[in-house]
Amino acid sequence: MKRRVVVTGVGCITPLGNDVATMWKAQQESRNGVGAITHFDASHFPTKFAAEVRDFDFDSLVEDPSRFADAGRNIRFAIGAATQAVTDSGIYDDQHFDPARFGVYLGAGEGQQDFMQFMSLVAESYTDGETDLQKFTQEFIRRMNPRFELELEPNMPAAHLSSLFNAQGPNLNCLTACAASSQAIGEATEIIRRSDADIMLSGGAHSMIHPFGLT
């Protein structure tokens, strides 16, 4: 007999609303979340529009916003949606709550790169039709922010969530493009079903609205 799995809390940060009620109302009213790109100057790109998240107040969600100074939008979105879901679930009201049985499984991609800095390094290392990899690497190490580079890794959203919510159980992330969030939820369900955890925080977070992403 399979163990029953239920959804106990939900949350979202989206171009149609930064909470479930607002997003659902926007969907019912067939609102459009697409508009001109404002995150960077896209005037020289063939595509100049995207679905951006707007009016998201991340600093009000965390005790120490400076901790996430180098974190990308994908991490901030993950924290925003997860905070809503965890609060909605009421798991901390359960006196039998066991952090070791609480896990995270996300479908999250990489963060946004420092495009201008990166391309400047490429240009400065380019001579006689080739890129001098030694020069590029030396300058990269000297000039790039190591903390920012670490926060680009796709495992970081799940890592931050486990730390923030004391989720000491399984911690996983998958990258399967548009299917990632659905895969994460499905595999998180199986983790509960086979009793490797009692609670899984699952979903996805990403933002490709940056020069590399648009390219």
Side-chain angles (χ1 to χ4, degrees):
M1 183 176 178
K2 288 186 176 181
R3 191 181 189 199
R4 190 179 180 214
V5 182
V6 298
V7 176
T8 56
V10 292
C12 68
I13 303 294
T14 78
L16 287 177
N18 297 333
D19 58 70
V20 174
T22 303
M23 182 193 70
W24 178 238
K25 189 172 187 295
Q27 288 178 315
Q28 290 177 313
E29 296 173 356
S30 300
R31 292 184 196 168
N32 185 356
V34 175
I37 291 173
T38 63
H39 290 327
F40 65 96
D41 180 7
S43 61
H44 297 291
F45 286 80
T47 300
K48 301 173 178 60
F49 62 89
E52 295 182 344
V53 168
R54 303 177 191 279
D55 305 318
F56 174 45
D57 181 13
F58 173 76
D59 289 357
S60 66
L61 294 175
V62 292
E63 292 183 5
D64 181 16
S66 64
R67 170 182 171 184
F68 302 97
D70 295 315
R73 285 190 297 270
N74 59 332
I75 291 173
R76 294 165 187 256
F77 293 162
I79 292 171
T83 298
Q84 294 174 35
V86 170
T87 301
D88 188 34
S89 72
I91 58 173
Y92 296 120
D93 298 330
D94 182 356
Q95 60 180 342
H96 301 297
F97 170 72
D98 181 3
R101 301 283 297 168
F102 178 21
V104 178
Y105 200 138
L106 295 187
E110 74 284 349
Q112 72 266 21
Q113 292 84 0
D114 187 348
F115 180 80
M116 297 307 295
Q117 179 87 287
F118 182 85
M119 294 310 296
S120 294
L121 287 169
V122 172
E124 291 170 20
S125 305
Y126 193 78
T127 55
D128 299 325
E130 292 185 358
T131 300
D132 185 334
L133 292 179
Q134 182 176 1
K135 181 179 179 181
F136 174 83
T137 303
Q138 289 173 341
E139 284 299 300
F140 188 96
I141 292 172
R142 186 176 70 84
R143 287 160 54 179
M144 298 301 274
N145 179 346
R147 180 70 191 183
F148 179 85
E149 295 301 313
L150 173 65
E151 295 287 357
L152 295 178
E153 295 300 318
N155 64 292
M156 290 305 291
H160 280 298
L161 295 188
S162 65
S163 175
L164 284 170
F165 301 113
N166 193 25
Q168 300 176 22
N171 189 279
L172 300 150
N173 184 69
C174 64
L175 282 117
T176 47
C178 295
S181 298
S182 296
Q183 178 178 332
I185 293 170
E187 298 205 25
T189 300
E190 291 303 314
I191 287 173
I192 296 174
R193 243 180 215 145
R194 62 175 181 258
S195 294
D196 287 342
D198 294 328
I199 303 165
M200 291 296 295
L201 178 58
S202 186
H206 202 15
S207 176
M208 291 294 288
I209 308 174
H210 51 75
F212 276 131
L214 200 62
T215 299

